[in-house]
Amino acid sequence: ALGICCLTLGWAMFRHRLLRIMPLAYDTILHNIPHGLLVVDHQNRILSLNPAVQRYLDDPGQEAIGKTIEQAFSRLVASFNGLLQRKTAIIEELELGDVTIEVRLTPLHDRAGHSRGRLFIFQDITQRKLADLARQRHQDFVEALQNSTATLNSTLELDGVMVRILKTGGGVVPH
């Protein structure tokens, strides 16, 4: 019975290529996820990365597998260095010129709980940061208008009202 079971399992593995399902699923997910994924070992050697993170490489066409983060991402190392020392999960924002990247660091453990490396997830949050800045400017403008309205309602002296409005709105509205 054991021989028949092993023979059937062996036939299924080779006939239906069951051993190739996991690598295929892994490659499909890795190459289609929009965020940059970078997997490193304890010596910060790159074990895996996807195309979305390759744009941050010093030379996007180079082979980065096996190199250290310092070798492959030397222009990021100054911003990245604090993250390289971390052994616990953390989320950091990195400013790269006019681009803002959110980097999530997640330690990777085996089933026994031993640390095996780290996963870095890169997400370009530039548009979100710009939207937050615009929202904050709008909020500041609304508050200045509310303060001006309160000033108008609190006094009837025109010169005093104008001076207060200019002081309140001057920080928000460019001259």
Side-chain angles (χ1 to χ4, degrees):
L2 181 61
I4 293 173
C5 183
C6 289
L7 184 63
T8 305
L9 184 60
W11 174 79
M13 285 184 168
F14 290 107
R15 172 78 174 113
H16 299 291
R17 296 182 181 152
L18 293 180
L19 294 177
R20 296 192 42 86
I21 290 174
M22 284 303 292
L24 177 64
Y26 173 79
D27 285 343
T28 301
I29 292 169
L30 185 70
H31 287 89
N32 289 314
I33 195 163
H35 305 305
L37 299 177
L38 175 68
V39 180
V40 300
D41 65 7
H42 292 292
Q43 288 81 34
N44 290 328
R45 288 183 306 223
I46 298 171
L47 302 176
S48 184
L49 72 160
N50 70 347
V53 80
Q54 287 179 339
R55 66 180 167 188
Y56 303 116
L57 289 169
D58 294 337
D59 179 10
Q62 75 179 347
E63 178 60 40
I65 304 294
K67 293 184 178 181
T68 65
I69 290 178
E70 293 86 350
Q71 293 168 329
F73 295 93
S74 64
R75 63 188 175 104
L76 293 180
V77 169
S79 325
F80 217 73
N81 211 15
L83 286 174
L84 295 179
Q85 310 311 319
R86 300 293 302 242
K87 303 294 183 205
T88 58
I90 189 170
I91 300 173
E92 290 282 333
E93 288 183 7
L94 303 178
E95 299 286 334
L96 304 172
D98 58 349
V99 175
T100 304
I101 302 170
E102 180 180 86
V103 180
R104 293 174 182 260
L105 167 66
T106 304
L108 301 174
H109 302 281
D110 61 15
R111 291 183 181 168
H114 301 106
S115 178
R116 294 294 180 207
R118 291 171 289 162
L119 169 67
F120 293 88
I121 302 173
F122 294 77
Q123 182 179 5
D124 186 343
I125 59 167
T126 305
Q127 294 302 318
R128 183 173 68 189
K129 295 295 274 187
L130 292 173
D132 288 346
L133 181 61
R135 193 173 15 261
Q136 183 60 46
R137 286 183 181 158
H138 178 73
Q139 182 64 33
D140 292 345
F141 181 72
V142 167
E143 287 176 10
L145 287 177
Q146 288 173 340
N147 290 340
S148 296
T149 302
T151 299
L152 280 172
N153 289 333
S154 68
T155 184
L156 295 175
E157 184 183 324
L158 183 60
D159 291 337
V161 169
M162 293 306 291
V163 168
R164 289 181 184 168
I165 289 174
L166 289 175
K167 283 182 182 178
T168 304
V172 179
V173 180
H175 299 344

